[in-house]
Amino acid sequence: MNTDLTNTTSSKINAALVQARRAIGSPAVGMVLTLVIVTDEANHYDALKAAGEASQEHPSRILVVIKRPGRTPRERGSSRLDAEVRVGGGDGSGETVLLRLRGEIAQHPESVVLPLLLPDAPVVVWWPVDAPDHPVRDPLGRLAQRRITDAYAVERPLRELVARAASYAPGDTDLAWTRLTPWRSMLAAALDQARAAVTSAVVESEADNPSAELLARWFANRLKVPVEQVVTDGPVVTGVRLRTAAGDIHIDRPDGPVATLSIPGQPDRTLALKVRGTAELIAEELRRLDPDEAYAAALRATVPSATPGQLG
């Protein structure tokens, strides 16, 4: 059920949500969190589609905040809130509200969002693009237990990681880190099987890939070894090599959803290691709302450079 509201208020939006639930015969809320997406007109469709798919696993109230501050002094001095309320249908298992903030009210989105948050439920804020420099200081970021950014969505991702490290607060995370979960799990399992000390590491990826940079920092933080980063054609991370006295532990994924794992003294194995979509990444982030200490440590780590002698 869809309801369009023009020049409206938060109280009228809440009333529309209640009415829509009753109309479809579902008076109970039954949702576990509020997901606030802060984006623009150009990116809101893809973000909403991903959030809707993730809400199949995590029933949520999804609030999409689209700011239109205005181009002229007259537009910036006026205020208007338009909303589209969606309950049921194809947008996921919860409720969705698109909020278009025009004029002065776009500078104070928290005044609109706060009355629409589910009571006694966690709040997650996701910026698919154009994240603030300090997410925890952002008016909407202050409302959240979890704040999600994406360094992959900016023009200079490695510089973005520097900014994220400087502004990090518990509850911050980045989808560049989430993309590494399968890699980190497989590498940890491979190290348990090899039972050999790592002397150096190599990360292969497309140029300026933030996930590859975070993986190199993770190695530096956890293994305390020099790390070399090798540029390939991608997509994203294509291979990882851990040097040991017994030989190399190597995961190679040149393209496609399949990788090859090589461990000294064992036959090679084929692994499923596809490039995951945004919906899967968001669903993973919604499974845990506590601070991600591993991400914080990797984000702040310094990568010691490897020399040819160390890699030989």
Side-chain angles (χ1 to χ4, degrees):
M1 179 175 178
N2 289 12
T3 305
D4 290 325
L5 302 171
T6 58
N7 201 14
T8 188
T9 64
S10 296
S11 61
K12 291 180 181 179
I13 295 171
N14 265 321
L17 285 167
V18 173
Q19 183 178 2
R21 285 200 303 269
R22 289 175 177 169
I24 65 173
S26 179
V29 176
M31 285 165 284
V32 298
L33 59 88
T34 304
L35 174 61
V36 181
I37 305 173
V38 188
T39 185
D40 53 24
E41 288 287 2
N43 294 280
H44 88 275
Y45 176 82
D46 290 339
L48 181 56
K49 185 175 185 296
E53 293 177 15
S55 74
Q56 300 289 346
E57 181 179 339
H58 310 276
S60 312
R61 173 174 289 179
I62 302 172
L63 306 178
V64 184
V65 178
I66 303 172
K67 300 180 184 180
R68 291 178 172 178
R71 298 181 180 179
T72 66
R74 182 177 180 179
E75 290 177 339
R76 291 191 293 269
S78 61
S79 291
R80 175 170 164 168
L81 169 62
D82 295 335
E84 182 181 346
V85 177
R86 304 176 183 175
V87 178
D91 285 326
S93 58
E95 303 168 341
T96 300
V97 182
L98 276 71
L99 302 165
R100 289 181 169 87
L101 284 62
R102 294 173 167 86
E104 187 177 2
I105 198 173
Q107 307 299 326
H108 306 281
E110 72 282 4
S111 64
V112 175
V113 169
L114 186 58
L116 300 176
L117 301 179
L118 291 171
D120 303 319
V123 178
V124 178
V125 177
W126 171 33
W127 293 270
V129 294
D130 299 328
D133 293 336
H134 291 77
V136 74
R137 298 181 188 174
D138 181 82
L140 292 174
R142 293 192 192 103
L143 303 176
Q145 286 75 44
R146 194 76 159 173
R147 295 166 295 275
I148 304 173
T149 57
D150 191 358
Y152 199 76
V154 303
E155 185 175 354
R156 304 186 69 177
L158 300 189
R159 176 177 288 185
E160 183 76 1
L161 290 182
V162 174
R164 293 283 156 255
S167 65
Y168 175 82
D172 289 357
T173 192
D174 196 282
L175 294 185
W177 176 250
T178 318
R179 292 181 178 93
L180 291 175
T181 300
W183 286 91
R184 294 190 296 121
S185 298
M186 291 179 183
L187 288 165
L191 282 172
D192 285 342
Q193 295 176 50
R195 297 187 178 278
V198 177
T199 57
S200 64
V202 180
V203 178
E204 302 168 359
S205 74
E206 61 190 5
D208 296 328
N209 182 268
S211 295
E213 176 66 21
L214 285 171
L215 186 58
R217 296 185 189 188
W218 184 61
F219 287 147
N221 175 256
R222 297 299 298 270
L223 301 177
K224 304 294 189 291
V225 297
V227 184
E228 182 188 19
Q229 293 178 256
V230 176
V231 176
T232 65
D233 292 333
V236 295
V237 179
T238 58
V240 173
R241 191 181 301 273
L242 302 178
R243 308 282 193 184
T244 75
D248 291 352
I249 300 170
H250 187 205
I251 296 180
D252 183 39
R253 186 190 65 182
D255 54 47
V258 177
T260 301
L261 170 63
S262 302
I263 299 176
Q266 300 184 23
D268 290 353
R269 277 171 276 180
T270 300
L271 307 172
L273 193 59
K274 68 175 183 177
V275 177
R276 297 186 295 166
T278 306
E280 292 179 79
L281 303 176
I282 291 297
E284 178 184 326
E285 284 300 331
L286 297 183
R287 292 185 199 121
R288 56 172 299 176
L289 300 178
D290 56 314
D292 191 336
E293 296 178 357
Y295 166 66
L299 188 62
R300 293 167 170 166
T302 302
V303 180
S305 298
T307 65
Q310 291 170 315
L311 290 173

